Amino acid sequence: MLGNFTYCNPTKLYFGEEALGGLDAELAKVGANVVLIYGGGSIKKSGLYDEVLGKLQRAGKNVAEISGVMPNPTLDKLYEGIEIARAHKADFLLAVGGGSVCDYAKAVAVSVHCDEDPWEKYFARFEEPDCEILPVGCVLTLAGTGSEMNAGSVITNTRTHQKVGHVFLDEMVMPRFAILNPRYTMTLPHYQMVAGIYDIFNHICEQYFSGTDDNTSDYIAEALMRSLIVSSRAANKNPQDYEARSNIMWTATWALNTLIAKGKSTDWMVHMLGQAVGAYTNATHGMTLAAVSLPYYRHIMPYGVAKFRRFAVNVWNVDAEGKTDEAVALEGLKAMEGWMRELGLAMNITELGATAEMIEKLADATFILKGGYKVLDRDEIVSIFKAAL
Ligand code: NZQ
Ligand code: ZN
C-alpha cells in the first residue's frame, strides 16, 4: 500500500427491499425544513415520490421541492436550487433519483451558505467549502455513479462547454445516509441500465490501471469486476433478476466510495475524455466512457503491459499459456469489447452526436491527468478521439 492515508466514510447505507424503512429514523435526526430534490419525473411514475413525501409529512417536515434536475445537471439549475434552498431556510436536502440528482444536492449543500460563486470556487478553483455544509440524504434509483457514498459532484457549464467534477476532500459532503433498494432500479430503460453498468466498470478500471506495485486495492477491484461481469450478463438477459440487480447496486457503491483508490495511484483519463464528449453532446455519462475506452486502453496498453496482462487473466480468464504478454493483454481487451457489445453500449462517439469537426474542441476540453501508464499529450488525445469516431 503506497503512502499514508486516512479512510473515513460516514455514509450509512440501508440496503434491500425494505431499505426505505430506514428513512424514518434518519428524518428524526434532521431539522424541520427539508428540500426534496428529484429529476424529470421517473419517481412520480414509479410511486416513489408519494412514498417519500408521505414519510416527510408524517415526520412533520416543511417540504420545499427542487424538481427537474436534468441528467448532467447544469450550473443554471444549480443557481436556481440554491435560491430555493435559501428561501426555505433548508436544514436538510433529500435527493431522490440517480447520480445527477445526488451530485446536484451536494453542490447545493456546499453553496447555500457560501457567498462566493459556486462555479468559480468549487469547479474552477477546486476549493474546499469554508461555510456550513447542509446535510444530504439520498434515495438512489440508478446504480452507476457511486455518488450515494462519495463526495463527488459533477456540474456542466453550458455557456463554456465545461463538464467538471469536484471530489471534495471534506467527508461532510458525503451523503449522511443512502437508501439502496435494488427494486427501484428495475424501472430503468435498458439504455440507462447498461450505461450505469459501464460507468461502474470504468470506475474500477480507472483505479486499477495505474501503478506497478502490489496492493490489496487491486485484488478487491478484480473481485468487483468479476462480480459485475456475471451480474451484468444476467441483468441484460432478465432486467427483473433481483439477485443480479442487487449485486450491481452494491458493486456500484463500492466501486467509487474511495475504498479501492486507497494506497495506490489512479488514472481517470477515460473520465476526462468522456466528460469532454459530454460537455459538447450532453450524452449519457456511461455511454461517453464506453465510446472512448477501447481507443484509450489500446493506446496506453504498451506502457502498462503487465497490468493489462493481469486484467486479461484475472478478470477475463484469458489462457496465457505460451503467449506473449502483449498478446494476452490484447485478448483481455478483446474480451472486454465482446462484453461491451453484448450489453449494447455505445462503441463510438459519432453515435453520441460528436463529429470530426468537434475534435479540436474536445481535445481543448480534456483535462490531462498524470496518474495513468502514459501521460497523454494533445496530439495523442486528438488521435484517441479520431479513433473513437
Ligand atoms: O430524471 P428522471 O426522470 O429521474 O430520469 C432519470 C434520467 O433521465 C432516469 N432514471 C433514474 N432512475 C430511474 C430513471 N428512470 C426510470 N427508473 C429509474 N429508477 O435515468 C436518467 C439518467 O439519470 P442520471 O441521474 O443522470 O444518471 P446517473 O446516475 O448515471 O448520473 C449521471 C451523472 O453523475 C455524474 C455524471 O457525470 C452525470 O452528470 N457522475 C458522478 C460521479 C460521482 N458523484 O462520483 C462520478 C461519475 O463518474 C459521474 O461523472
Ligand atoms: Zn463515471
Side-chain angles (χ1 to χ4, degrees):
M1 302 298 282
L2 298 179
N4 302 287
F5 58 84
T6 49
Y7 180 74
C8 173
N9 194 317
T11 305
K12 181 168 183 172
L13 301 177
Y14 292 89
F15 193 93
E17 294 184 85
E18 308 293 331
L20 194 63
L23 187 57
D24 301 319
E26 293 301 326
L27 289 179
K29 297 178 198 167
V30 299
N33 297 336
V34 175
V35 181
L36 175 61
I37 304 177
Y38 56 97
S42 71
I43 65 161
K44 289 205 167 158
K45 237 193 204 161
S46 68
L48 181 57
Y49 172 84
D50 291 331
E51 272 189 84
V52 169
L53 193 64
K55 282 187 179 291
L56 286 164
Q57 285 164 345
R58 284 192 294 282
K61 304 298 183 190
N62 309 317
V63 181
E65 293 190 5
I66 302 171
S67 63
V69 176
M70 62 292 278
N72 310 320
T74 65
L75 179 60
D76 287 337
K77 187 71 184 174
L78 174 60
Y79 291 141
E80 180 193 317
I82 294 167
E83 289 315 313
I84 293 171
R86 282 182 183 155
H88 192 59
K89 297 194 170 16
D91 297 309
F92 176 67
L93 307 175
L94 184 59
V96 185
S100 293
V101 172
C102 192
D103 274 18
Y104 176 88
K106 288 181 241 177
V108 173
V110 295
S111 303
V112 168
H113 294 290
C114 173
D115 297 331
E116 292 168 80
D117 179 75
W119 179 262
E120 292 302 322
K121 184 174 175 65
Y122 299 127
F123 299 96
R125 298 198 302 270
F126 293 97
E127 290 172 12
E128 285 296 300
D130 38 27
C131 59
E132 180 191 339
I133 302 166
L134 286 181
V136 170
C138 169
V139 180
L140 193 70
T141 63
L142 194 166
T145 64
S147 187
E148 66 276 11
M149 202 185 190
N150 70 37
S153 176
V154 184
I155 296 293
T156 298
N157 185 333
T158 50
R159 274 181 290 275
T160 58
H161 287 295
Q162 285 170 294
K163 183 176 186 189
V164 180
H166 185 164
V167 181
F168 291 92
L169 298 174
D170 190 335
E171 63 263 11
M172 284 302 112
V173 182
M174 293 176 175
R176 295 296 158 89
F177 64 87
I179 308 272
L180 306 177
N181 180 344
R183 289 253 173 245
Y184 296 159
T185 68
M186 289 188 183
T187 54
L188 276 171
H190 181 265
Y191 190 85
Q192 291 294 341
M193 177 184 82
V194 295
I197 288 169
Y198 191 73
D199 193 21
I200 303 166
F201 192 80
N202 192 253
H203 291 161
I204 306 171
C205 290
E206 298 275 33
Q207 297 164 95
Y208 181 76
F209 286 121
S210 182
T212 52
D213 53 312
D214 181 59
N215 67 70
T216 303
S217 292
D218 282 336
Y219 294 86
I220 301 173
E222 286 167 353
L224 290 174
M225 287 192 273
R226 292 179 72 92
S227 167
L228 186 62
I229 292 161
V230 171
S231 293
S232 63
R233 285 185 162 139
N236 194 37
K237 272 204 201 95
N238 174 16
Q240 302 305 311
D241 181 336
Y242 181 85
E243 185 175 68
R245 300 302 287 264
S246 63
N247 286 333
I248 292 167
M249 197 169 212
W250 192 235
T251 303
T253 302
W254 287 91
L256 196 52
N257 67 359
T258 79
L259 177 80
I260 63 167
K262 291 303 177 199
K264 71 182 304 287
S265 57
T266 58
D267 182 357
W268 292 106
M269 268 318 291
V270 169
H271 272 66
M272 297 304 103
L273 297 160
Q275 277 174 209
V277 174
Y280 276 86
T281 62
N282 197 27
T284 298
H285 171 68
M287 292 304 191
T288 65
L289 307 177
V292 300
S293 280
L294 286 163
Y296 174 70
Y297 287 132
R298 291 199 166 111
H299 182 78
I300 64 157
M301 188 273 281
Y303 305 93
V305 180
K307 196 58 158 289
F308 280 92
R309 181 192 186 281
R310 177 174 161 178
F311 174 69
V313 173
N314 291 359
V315 178
W316 296 102
N317 302 323
V318 170
D319 178 5
E321 188 72 30
K323 297 172 193 158
T324 64
D325 289 352
E326 285 226 355
V328 176
L330 280 173
E331 261 191 64
L333 290 177
K334 196 88 205 121
M336 175 174 147
E337 179 177 352
W339 168 73
M340 292 171 74
R341 291 190 186 281
E342 210 180 301
L343 294 186
L345 293 164
M347 299 304 283
N348 60 69
I349 59 175
T350 308
E351 62 184 283
L352 301 177
T355 61
E357 292 68 44
M358 272 183 202
I359 286 195
E360 292 295 325
K361 287 181 180 158
L362 295 180
D364 288 341
T366 303
F367 282 93
I368 298 175
L369 300 178
K370 299 200 163 78
Y373 287 118
K374 168 79 179 64
V375 181
L376 300 182
D377 61 31
R378 196 174 185 287
D379 289 347
E380 290 174 296
I381 291 176
V382 167
S383 82
I384 289 166
F385 278 132
K386 280 189 181 156
L389 273 173

